[in-house]
Amino acid sequence: MEDERLRALPSVERLAQALDADPALRAYPPVERRAAARAAIAQRRAALRQGASEAPDCAASPLWSPSQMFEQLCAAARQRLREARSLRPVINATGVILHTNLGRAPLPQAALAAIAEIAGGYANLEYDLTTGQRGRRDAHGEALWQELLGCEAAVIVNNCAAAVWLVLDALGRDGAALISRGELVEIGGGFRIPDIMAQSGVALREVGTTNRTRLSDYEAALAPDARLIVRVHQSNFRLTGFTARPAVAELAGFARRHGLVLFDDIGSGLLADLTADGLRDEPLPARALADGADVVTFSADKLLGGPQAGVIAGRRDLVERIRRRPLMRMLRADKLTYAALEAALRLYRAGDWAAIPVLAMLRASPLALKQRAQRLARRLRQRIPADICRIELAPGASVIGGGCAPHIALPTTLVALKPERHSSEELTARLRQASPPVIARAADGRVWLDLRAVFPTQEGDLAKAVAESLAS
Ligand SMILES: *Cc1c(COP(=O)(O)O)cnc(C)c1O
């Protein structure tokens, strides 16, 4: 029997050809595909020589066939290729939609197609097709921003931290900015508003108190060197109780009366009004601009659901001043970002929220999530005996993450795994070693799987990873 299997091992050439034909493996050079094919065959040959009992396809299976073995070898070679890579796809079973450590927003399909099309060749990135002269990269997408935000002008840079820095550098340098003490926040990853202001050469005038700031506090801090009022969205925390701060419209009127610029760092960049989905007090850039903010900044890879970028939008004269700063050249976005962002904005213009993964995950119905959890639990129970792991369903809450709307708990159904022979930490560690790795949360002796940020196409791999992690 072993001899028959040894004889049925394919040639390296045949296996490599099968790998070459797999579109998912185009990211790997042919030499690496061939090496993976050779290694997979060598490993199988060694296993067969050690005896059928140690070969992965043993089980004295009457189902064994050369074509089944070929499929298994393909899978083994594919896994080898993927595991050799540093930056790899993972399955996000944490229920955190904008997981900063897992790359924040997954892009819409339309954005991926745009990246492939633009990045694989040449494009009119800085080339005016009408005149044949040099063009401006920040012209791309500006009309869409005008339409979606109602702004006069917009530019993008590498991320929102860069956008904030650039605005302060261009509009506040050698002057002062008034900011409420309740808004001197740390956004995360060491990004602290007071530090950024200090380093961009803007003098900081703290106004009001942590919990209450009134218009009269801004008035009291007025001085001839004041250039800006900076308003920062308290993205990652909520101040509740005895609190107050002026609305954008009030501040805008005040700023105008005193010849100051009102700069609103919104951070999260929600373009769709999701009040109906429970996102009640998340600021909309379009509304801030309509209420009189002169310039706003926000991330493109938070609630907008696009690629990493920082958007600066507002009055044309101010955006022009920002554009002309030398820093702009250092912080500029690349063509991949422009391609992806334009594609995402087109989806907003078409009202196609379902095609934007972040919005689709955020708006997934509790019933649909429950049904997916039930299906996964059934699948797992079929493969995993109850004395190895108890598999139960439990109500739970997903979060948006990325420092956005921390008070929002999105109802979901969790699959709870209670491993009988391992600790829950051991199981999460094994899941991280799966291919693709599965990232899940361990708490109370259980591993909790939330399907909200898992793509339906990943459910098979997820079930396989859980079954295999519990098997040994
Ligand atoms: C997230 C955030 C930033 C930083 O955005 P990045 O795109 O991560 O650089 C700045 N300001 C606010 C208010 C934020 O919420």
Side-chain angles (χ1 to χ4, degrees):
M1 189 63 183
E2 289 95 83
D3 287 347
E4 190 193 331
R5 292 177 191 192
L6 277 168
R7 274 196 305 276
L9 281 170
S11 67
V12 171
E13 190 52 39
R14 213 183 121 224
L15 189 56
Q17 276 172 11
L19 300 178
D20 291 347
D22 183 348
L25 299 181
R26 278 194 207 128
Y28 304 94
V31 182
E32 283 186 25
R33 291 198 290 254
R34 191 159 302 266
R38 187 174 298 115
I41 292 170
Q43 188 187 32
R44 178 58 61 94
R45 180 177 292 117
L48 287 170
R49 285 203 172 127
Q50 269 182 29
S53 62
E54 289 177 38
D57 61 349
C58 69
S61 165
L63 292 175
W64 181 84
S65 70
S67 68
Q68 187 207 30
M69 178 155 84
F70 190 77
E71 277 315 305
Q72 288 171 342
L73 285 167
C74 274
R78 226 176 267 131
Q79 183 163 341
R80 251 171 208 283
L81 282 169
R82 296 212 164 113
E83 286 177 358
R85 224 166 29 165
S86 171
L87 183 61
R88 298 162 61 193
V90 303
I91 296 177
N92 175 8
T94 63
V96 182
I97 299 173
L98 296 170
H99 199 302
T100 302
N101 304 136
L102 303 184
R104 279 200 195 153
L107 292 181
Q109 286 299 323
L112 300 180
I115 289 176
E117 200 183 0
I118 295 299
Y122 299 98
N124 62 336
L125 181 65
E126 291 185 358
Y127 187 82
D128 186 326
L129 292 172
T130 313
T131 62
Q133 305 289 310
R134 187 186 166 160
R136 274 193 355 219
R137 71 173 63 205
D138 50 25
H140 302 292
E142 192 170 57
L144 283 162
W145 288 120
Q146 288 166 338
E147 191 176 330
L148 291 165
L149 300 180
C151 60
E152 289 176 8
V155 288
I156 64 166
V157 287
N158 223 316
N159 51 41
C160 187
V164 171
W165 187 303
L166 195 52
V167 170
L168 293 172
D169 170 75
L171 307 181
R173 178 160 285 278
D174 302 326
L178 314 187
I179 181 168
S180 161
R181 289 195 168 87
E183 296 170 13
L184 291 169
V185 298
E186 173 172 325
I187 302 299
F191 182 77
R192 292 180 157 186
I193 293 292
D195 298 345
I196 299 292
M197 293 183 68
Q199 287 178 38
S200 63
V202 179
L204 178 70
R205 295 281 150 72
E206 299 178 19
V207 164
T209 62
T210 304
N211 57 330
R212 288 172 79 84
T213 302
R214 299 180 191 75
L215 215 47
S216 53
D217 295 317
Y218 288 92
E219 186 123 42
L222 275 175
D225 65 344
R227 308 257 185 288
L228 289 170
I229 292 180
V230 179
R231 195 175 193 275
V232 180
H233 176 46
Q234 297 158 331
S235 309
N236 48 10
F237 70 105
R238 275 292 170 279
L239 214 53
T240 56
F242 189 58
T243 65
R245 65 172 186 163
V248 174
E250 282 177 82
L251 275 181
F254 173 81
R256 205 162 303 124
R257 283 196 298 282
H258 297 282
L260 303 176
V261 166
L262 176 59
F263 164 36
D264 193 0
D265 176 27
I266 290 172
S268 50
L270 181 64
L271 296 193
D273 188 344
L274 298 186
T275 317
D277 299 285
L279 240 67
R280 237 159 262 113
D281 32 58
E282 200 54 33
L284 297 163
R287 191 162 302 153
L289 289 164
D291 285 348
D294 297 300
V295 194
V296 299
T297 51
F298 54 92
S299 293
D301 57 339
K302 288 185 180 172
L303 287 168
L304 189 154
Q308 178 190 304
V311 183
I312 304 171
R315 260 168 52 191
R316 176 157 302 278
D317 60 323
L318 301 178
V319 172
E320 285 304 330
R321 266 163 69 192
I322 291 162
R323 251 185 194 133
R324 285 195 297 269
R325 298 296 302 169
L327 262 178
M328 183 74 202
R329 173 65 182 76
M330 291 174 242
L331 303 176
R332 74 181 185 188
D334 71 335
K335 61 183 174 182
L336 281 69
T337 306
Y338 276 99
L341 197 47
E342 184 175 353
L345 295 183
R346 285 184 181 284
L347 294 173
Y348 276 100
R349 192 173 62 178
D352 194 356
W353 295 356
I356 298 163
V358 167
L359 295 190
M361 288 170 181
L362 213 155
R363 305 174 78 223
S365 82
L367 179 62
L369 289 166
K370 185 172 186 177
Q371 287 167 343
R372 287 179 65 194
Q374 285 168 337
R375 199 169 58 214
L376 177 66
R378 258 199 315 276
R379 215 163 172 168
L380 292 174
R381 286 191 195 113
Q382 278 165 9
R383 297 176 70 153
I384 303 163
D387 61 337
I388 292 199
C389 181
R390 281 223 307 275
I391 296 155
E392 286 155 356
L393 296 180
S398 330
V399 297
I400 295 175
C404 303
H407 56 300
I408 300 275
L410 304 162
T412 188
T413 300
L414 304 169
V415 177
L417 309 172
K418 187 166 188 309
E420 301 293 348
R421 301 182 187 176
H422 312 289
S423 71
S424 55
E425 286 76 16
E426 233 175 298
L427 181 54
T428 50
R430 285 172 179 223
L431 287 170
R432 289 197 302 273
Q433 298 310 312
S435 185
V438 171
I439 315 300
R441 197 166 56 85
D444 307 324
R446 287 171 178 74
V447 172
W448 304 88
L449 305 175
D450 186 342
L451 290 175
R452 186 182 295 272
V454 175
F455 290 89
T457 51
Q458 296 176 320
E459 282 175 22
D461 279 341
L462 173 57
K464 181 165 161 280
V466 173
E468 287 176 1
S469 299
L470 285 162
S472 48

